[in-house]
């Protein structure tokens, strides 16, 4: 069975092997140029998906000229900029979508997005006039150009709800975009545009689904990703010191039961989110989560079947208990990173978790060294005691 030193090394290997390549915005809208030398009054660095909007609004005739820049998630993907007449959300949006057609030529088309989930994207005319639409691509960046007749009610308000998005592929048979990712940047790509001042206003925070995803992530990171490993460290190292007995055992049980309770809440939240995401599956993340829940449930109930210390089956129970515990440890940390890849909450949160688990792994490695020193000294002390026929004990 692997030693805790090996497990500590695995923890550190996890942290070192995780890529810390962070997306960096390499330019701003002010540095972008146009092949046709078009000039726009305003430009915005949109807050998500490394996207940009250039626009000019002619209030006299309610005409909005736009140029939207973004990089699709794959070279044969798509980009979209849309206006929603009602709310800053995807449902009910009137969209301009650019992609490469079957001949590899950039094209821009108009689509209506349904108001209810699962959203349908239908090629059609929009609720307002659109003309001079075209698309181009340069160095992996796609661009949509168009002129729009702003509806009277939006022109009177001087603001409109905008939504932007990127995707990985196009359904060639239907000529419609594939489902985009559901990470936080994709779900938060919306806002309110000031037609006159060029300001972009936040859409009012995270939607309820994104909040539930964040709750799911926090619960599982705290339980399987931090509290459970801490409980293993407690059991492995504190019991070396006689003065810590039986306190180490109760602390270990408290950590693992708490991790299980919090983890079950996170697991249930994930199952609920999955049932609401028709057509979107994260199979590996889901399967690891189910395995964690199952193994942890067996581990908890096995406590009630724990033989006494002098029982002949206690050794086998210990082997099972330690083995399953280390499997849960590795799967838990792995699934936290899989969740971070899916949720994409921000680079700082990945870095914070890597630092936290690296510190825990470093502490475990240090305690492993100290434990071996203590054990070896005890063995050395026993072996140096004189033997005089009293069973290895010194004469009274």
């Amino acid at each position: 069975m692997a030693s805790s030193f090996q497990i500590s090394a695995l923890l550190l290997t996890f942290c070192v092997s995780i890529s810390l390549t962070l997306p960096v915005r390499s330019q701003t809208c002010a540095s972008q140029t146009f092949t046709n030398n078009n000039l726009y009054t305003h430009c915005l660095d949109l807050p998500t998906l490394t996207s940009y909007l250039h626009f000019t609004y002619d209030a006299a005739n309610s005409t909005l000229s736009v140029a939207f820049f973004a990089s699709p998630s794959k070279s044969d993907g798509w980009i979209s900029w849309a206006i929603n007449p009602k709310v800053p959300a995807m449902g009910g949006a009137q969209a301009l979508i650019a992609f490469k057609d079957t001949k590899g030529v950039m094209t821009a088309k108009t689509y209506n997005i349904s108001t209810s989930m699962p959203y349908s994207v239908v090629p059609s005319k929009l609720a307002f006039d659109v003309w001079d639409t075209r698309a181009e691509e340069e160095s992996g960046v796609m661009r949509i150009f168009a002129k729009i007749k702003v509806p009277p009610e939006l022109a009177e308000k001087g603001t409109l709800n905008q939504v932007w998005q990127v995707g990985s592929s196009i359904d060639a048979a239907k000529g419609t975009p594939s489902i985009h990712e559901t990470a936080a940047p994709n779900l938060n790509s919306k806002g309110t545009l000031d037609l006159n001042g060029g300001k972009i206003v936040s859409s009012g925070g995270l939607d309820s689904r994104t909040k539930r995803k964040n709750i799911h992530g926090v619960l599982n990171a705290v339980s399987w990703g931090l509290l459970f490993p801490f409980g293993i460290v407690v059991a492995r190292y504190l019991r070396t010191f006689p003065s810590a007995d039986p306190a180490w055992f109760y602390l270990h049980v408290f950590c693992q039961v708490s991790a299980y309770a919090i983890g079950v809440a996170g697991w249930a939240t994930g199952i609920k989110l999955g049932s609401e995401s028709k057509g979107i599956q994260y199979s590996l993340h889901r399967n690891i989560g189910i395995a964690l829940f199952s193994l942890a449930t067996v581990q908890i109930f096995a406590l009630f079947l724990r033989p006494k210390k002098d029982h002949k089956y206690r050794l086998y129970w210990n082997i099972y208990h330690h083995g399953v515990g280390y499997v849960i440890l590795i799967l838990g940390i792995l699934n936290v990173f899989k969740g971070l890849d899916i949720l994409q909450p921000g680079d700082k949160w990945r870095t914070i978790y890597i630092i936290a688990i690296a510190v825990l792994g470093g502490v475990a490695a240090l305690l492993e060294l100290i434990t071996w020193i203590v054990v070896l000294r005890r063995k050395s002390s026993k072996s140096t005691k004189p033997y005089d026929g009293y069973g290895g004990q010194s004469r009274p």
Side-chain angles (χ1 to χ4, degrees):
M1 186 169 59
S3 71
S4 285
F5 184 79
Q6 291 172 311
I7 298 301
S8 302
L10 280 174
L11 287 173
L12 292 172
T13 302
F14 264 122
C15 303
V16 172
S17 62
I18 295 298
S19 172
L20 290 176
T21 303
L22 305 179
V24 177
R25 189 182 288 269
S26 60
Q27 60 178 326
T28 65
C29 65
S31 66
Q32 293 169 333
T33 58
F34 302 91
T35 56
N36 57 3
N37 295 320
N38 279 2
L39 296 177
Y40 294 88
T41 306
H42 307 288
C43 79
L44 297 170
D45 299 324
L46 299 176
T48 65
L49 301 178
T50 317
S51 304
Y52 311 87
L53 181 69
H54 301 257
F55 71 96
T56 297
Y57 179 60
D58 186 349
N61 56 19
S62 302
T63 299
L64 178 66
S65 300
V66 298
F68 174 70
F69 291 33
S71 299
S73 50
K74 292 184 179 179
S75 60
D76 57 348
W78 54 269
I79 67 170
S80 173
W81 184 81
I83 294 175
N84 192 318
K86 301 297 183 182
V87 293
M90 178 188 294
Q94 309 282 297
L96 295 163
I97 301 180
F99 55 90
K100 294 179 182 178
D101 62 19
T102 54
K103 297 180 180 180
V105 178
M106 286 297 300
T107 184
K109 295 184 178 181
T110 56
Y111 294 79
N112 275 305
I113 302 175
S114 63
T115 56
S116 59
M117 294 184 67
Y119 295 124
S120 61
V121 182
V122 181
S124 66
K125 292 184 177 181
L126 302 186
F128 40 80
D129 293 335
V130 180
W131 67 97
D132 288 351
T133 58
R134 63 184 180 87
E136 62 183 40
E137 184 213 15
E138 182 179 355
S139 302
V141 178
M142 291 185 178
R143 305 172 178 181
I144 301 175
F145 299 89
K147 291 183 179 179
I148 299 165
K149 185 71 172 181
V150 179
E153 63 275 15
L154 299 182
E156 184 178 354
K157 289 186 354 183
T159 61
L160 54 81
N161 302 309
Q162 65 169 341
V163 184
W164 61 96
Q165 195 56 256
V166 299
S168 60
S169 63
I170 291 290
D171 186 332
K174 298 180 180 179
T176 57
S178 63
I179 296 175
H180 61 76
E181 294 182 11
T182 56
N186 299 84
L187 298 180
N188 294 325
S189 55
K190 55 192 175 183
T192 303
L193 179 66
D194 182 346
L195 293 173
N196 298 304
K199 298 176 182 178
I200 181 171
V201 182
S202 171
S203 60
L206 302 178
D207 56 56
S208 60
R209 180 173 174 78
T210 302
K211 289 179 180 177
R212 282 182 287 147
K213 281 189 172 185
N214 290 342
I215 291 172
H216 167 73
V218 170
L219 290 175
N220 286 290
V222 170
S223 57
W224 309 122
L226 292 174
L227 195 54
F228 192 90
F230 179 75
I232 288 181
V233 170
V234 167
R236 168 66 183 172
Y237 302 111
L238 291 189
R239 65 179 177 181
T240 304
F241 306 97
S243 60
D245 192 21
W248 72 264
F249 174 76
Y250 295 117
L251 181 57
H252 170 67
V253 171
F254 173 79
C255 288
Q256 307 311 69
V257 171
S258 298
Y260 177 75
I262 298 171
V264 168
W267 176 79
T269 306
I271 293 296
K272 176 63 175 176
L273 286 168
S275 67
E276 296 173 352
S277 304
K278 303 300 182 183
I280 302 174
Q281 292 186 353
Y282 300 104
S283 299
L284 181 59
H285 181 65
R286 177 178 179 271
N287 292 339
I288 292 176
I290 292 173
L292 277 171
F293 169 75
S294 303
L295 289 172
T297 300
V298 172
Q299 191 83 318
I300 290 294
F301 282 100
L303 288 175
F304 299 103
L305 302 175
R306 184 170 63 114
K308 294 182 178 180
K309 290 183 178 181
D310 56 353
H311 196 282
K312 64 179 181 179
Y313 291 126
R314 179 59 180 264
L315 173 63
Y316 303 107
W317 187 93
N318 285 343
I319 294 174
Y320 144 77
H321 185 67
H322 296 161
V324 172
Y326 288 140
V327 170
I328 294 174
L329 169 72
I330 295 171
L331 289 179
I333 294 174
L334 174 63
N335 220 27
V336 169
F337 282 115
K338 294 297 295 182
L340 288 169
D341 289 338
I342 294 169
L343 188 58
Q344 296 183 16
D347 303 313
K348 66 177 182 180
W349 297 110
R350 175 185 290 270
T351 303
I352 288 172
Y353 180 69
I354 290 175
I355 292 173
I357 204 67
V359 168
L360 187 58
V363 169
L366 178 61
L367 289 175
E368 181 72 19
L369 178 62
I370 294 173
T371 300
W372 275 107
I373 292 174
V374 171
V375 171
L376 291 175
R377 283 181 176 177
R378 286 176 182 170
K379 288 184 177 180
S380 175
S381 175
K382 289 181 180 180
S383 64
T384 56
K385 289 182 179 180
Y387 178 79
D388 57 1
Y390 285 86
Q393 298 180 358
S394 299
R395 185 186 298 275

